[in-house]
Amino acid sequence: MTNCYFNRFVKKMELVSCDQEVEHKLWPLYKHQTMVSVALYACDDNAFKFVEDHNEEMKQIGTLDVEVPDHAVSVDEEARAITVRFKFGQTAIDVSGCNEATRSAAAATITFAHS
């Protein structure tokens, strides 16, 4: 996964309110894909634009796998899109990914570390 684009949902020190949602729409990279895997990363440095192997500051914290229609079945790129949503809570971030065409969905909860 060298040099994959880092799609930032929030920046370090950016204020988000409890129950605030941030979402991005993503598409499969290749026509043959029937599954989109979204790797979730955390990083303290707001300047990073790419996920690079062997980068100690970039930490993978989870993955979402969402099914998308086969390109041969649906050439409509919008039908192949997934919406990834972060919902910020007081002690956790709920992350979900959904493809409206297939109704395929995945979810994860990221809990905050307590010190």
Side-chain angles (χ1 to χ4, degrees), residues 92-107:
I93 302 170
D94 292 324
V95 183
S96 62
C98 181
N99 174 269
E100 296 298 326
T102 63
R103 307 304 288 166
S104 174

Side-chain angles (χ1 to χ4, degrees), residues 39-91:
L40 306 172
Y41 284 85
C43 182
D44 285 337
D45 189 337
N46 287 332
F48 280 112
K49 293 185 179 177
F50 296 94
V51 176
E52 298 174 356
D53 293 341
H54 311 297
N55 180 340
E56 293 178 12
E57 293 188 55
M58 191 73 65
K59 302 211 180 343
Q60 186 167 359
I61 56 175
T63 304
L64 290 177
D65 293 323
V66 181
E67 292 180 16
V68 294
D70 188 318
H71 188 266
V73 174
S74 176
V75 293
D76 177 14
E77 289 304 316
E78 202 57 36
R80 292 173 44 81
I82 63 169
T83 300
V84 177
R85 180 176 295 115
F86 280 42
K87 182 176 181 181
F88 296 89
Q90 290 182 350
T91 60

Side-chain angles (χ1 to χ4, degrees), residues 1 3-11 14 22-27 29 36-43 45-52 58 61 82-86 88 95:
M1 179 179 325
N3 294 330
C4 291
Y5 184 70
F6 183 58
N7 194 349
R8 190 176 321 278
F9 278 74
V10 293
K11 291 182 178 181
E14 180 178 342
V22 178
E23 67 180 39
H24 290 281
K25 197 173 261 193
L26 306 173
W27 288 264
L29 291 176
V36 174
S37 291
V38 180
L40 306 172
Y41 284 85
C43 182
D45 189 337
N46 287 332
F48 280 112
K49 293 185 179 177
F50 296 94
V51 176
E52 298 174 356
M58 191 73 65
I61 56 175
I82 63 169
T83 300
V84 177
R85 180 176 295 115
F86 280 42
F88 296 89
V95 183

